[in-house]
Amino acid sequence: MKITKATIRWVDIPLRHPFTTSFTTMAAKQCLILSLTTDTGLTGYGECSAFAQPFYNEEFCDGAAALLQKQLLPRLMAQPIRHPDDIYPLFAGFRRNNMAKAAINCALWDIYAQERQQPLATALGGDKQQVETGVSIGIQASPQALVTAVAGYLADGYRRIKMKIKPGKDYAYLKAVRDQFPTAMLMADANSAYRIEDLPQLQRLDDLNLIMIEQPLEPGDLIHHAQLQAALKTPVCLDESITSVEDTQKMIQLGSGRIINIKVARVGGLTIAKQIQQIAQDAGIACWCGGMLDSGIARAANVAIATLSGYTLPNDIAASERYYDADIIKPTISLIGTNVPVSKQIGLGYAVDQANLQRFTVATANINATECATVVE
């Protein structure tokens, strides 16, 4: 495939309700939507999930856009490529910046599936007809407010409930939920809010029969995660810590956790996500697909990757309406019970809603392969 045109759109999609984690509260999903067009007229879409500020990892929207415009896309357009996997040797000289790379890789996988007249899930090697979803709940104002929120989702049929925690809003909140729902599949997500010195506080959570504690410590701290896992009965799930195949291998060798939340954006694309789940599966590590408050474009890619056999736990792939009154794909992603049916449509599986994409776009940059120049509107 030969890429002749790229368009970067800065989008700002309002959330239905503010979403609070241990590090921020978001009222809108701000991200980049990348479209790539080939010399044969096919167009693929990918999402760069970097937030407006670099609080999740080192990337942020404007920085990722600059890297795409000035470095990655001109290099991509300079030569034809055979397969989406080929971007990694092409970009080998550019350290990390996985979310920018993921946008390109996902758009190329969309094109690759279109060329082969296959749904994206099939092109990736998936075989599930539906993928199970869980639900993620931001930090609530009180334990009772959290109980009320959990009750609503359990009534909707969700099996797995993820609750955000941070110091001071952890044990009492989770215990209130566990007391009310003694058999529910519950987990906690700390987004790196704790340190190894908080071990006694985290050990208290062992009493609550959680299926996992997600990313309790700093992302780069695999050593202390191993120490923590050895001291806990509850499985530790790594999220921000796993950014590559190499991180996965280190986690397994050190015993830093028993579960991986694979986020396509965080690891650098569908190709690496596929490799990580295979390594984890071979080592007996459970996996599931996480999300980044994704728009429908990234959510569709998540559905496709979660059809691989190594994804064995309920995923963070909610219906579009869970977060948005309006999304940028059509039809929007919806649930049958608590499962997302896997699209049989060619490519991404969903059409891009061009009207809504335009509605939520706040800036646009076009990169032309012929001139290798950027025009910002």
Side-chain angles (χ1 to χ4, degrees), residues 169-322:
K169 293 195 173 184
D170 43 29
Y171 182 79
Y173 286 66
L174 298 178
K175 186 175 188 303
V177 175
R178 176 53 77 205
D179 287 347
Q180 188 70 29
F181 307 107
T183 62
M185 184 185 287
L186 303 178
M187 61 175 285
D189 183 9
N191 291 114
S192 307
Y194 298 84
R195 300 296 177 267
I196 193 61
E197 291 76 18
D198 298 314
L199 175 58
Q201 189 174 349
L202 292 169
Q203 283 179 312
R204 293 186 72 197
L205 303 184
D206 269 343
D207 298 336
L208 302 178
N209 192 28
L210 303 176
I211 61 168
M212 70 186 87
I213 302 171
E214 184 180 355
Q215 198 62 47
L217 309 179
E218 282 285 291
D221 196 355
L222 291 175
I223 298 293
H224 282 143
H225 270 113
Q227 181 181 337
L228 177 66
Q229 181 64 93
L232 293 178
K233 294 183 296 182
T234 306
V236 169
C237 171
L238 294 187
D239 175 354
E240 291 95 327
S241 291
I242 304 300
T243 65
S244 65
V245 165
E246 292 75 20
D247 287 338
T248 307
Q249 293 166 333
K250 292 173 187 175
M251 169 196 172
I252 293 168
Q253 184 173 355
L254 293 170
S256 303
R258 300 176 195 157
I259 301 171
I260 300 175
N261 170 358
I262 303 177
K263 289 181 179 171
V264 171
R266 190 190 66 239
V267 303
L270 291 163
T271 294
I272 304 300
K274 183 177 179 180
Q275 293 172 0
I276 287 172
Q277 71 88 39
Q278 186 61 60
I279 292 169
Q281 186 175 12
D282 291 345
I285 300 291
C287 291
W288 52 285
C289 180
M292 298 283 293
L293 292 179
D294 303 296
S295 81
I297 288 173
R299 202 172 294 269
N302 290 345
V303 171
I305 197 70
T307 63
L308 297 175
S309 61
Y311 290 81
T312 55
L313 293 169
N315 306 280
D316 274 350
I317 309 173
S320 297
E321 65 180 12
R322 164 75 172 86

Side-chain angles (χ1 to χ4, degrees), residues 140-153:
Q140 302 294 297
S142 68
Q144 187 53 49
L146 181 58
V147 169
T148 300
V150 171
Y153 289 116

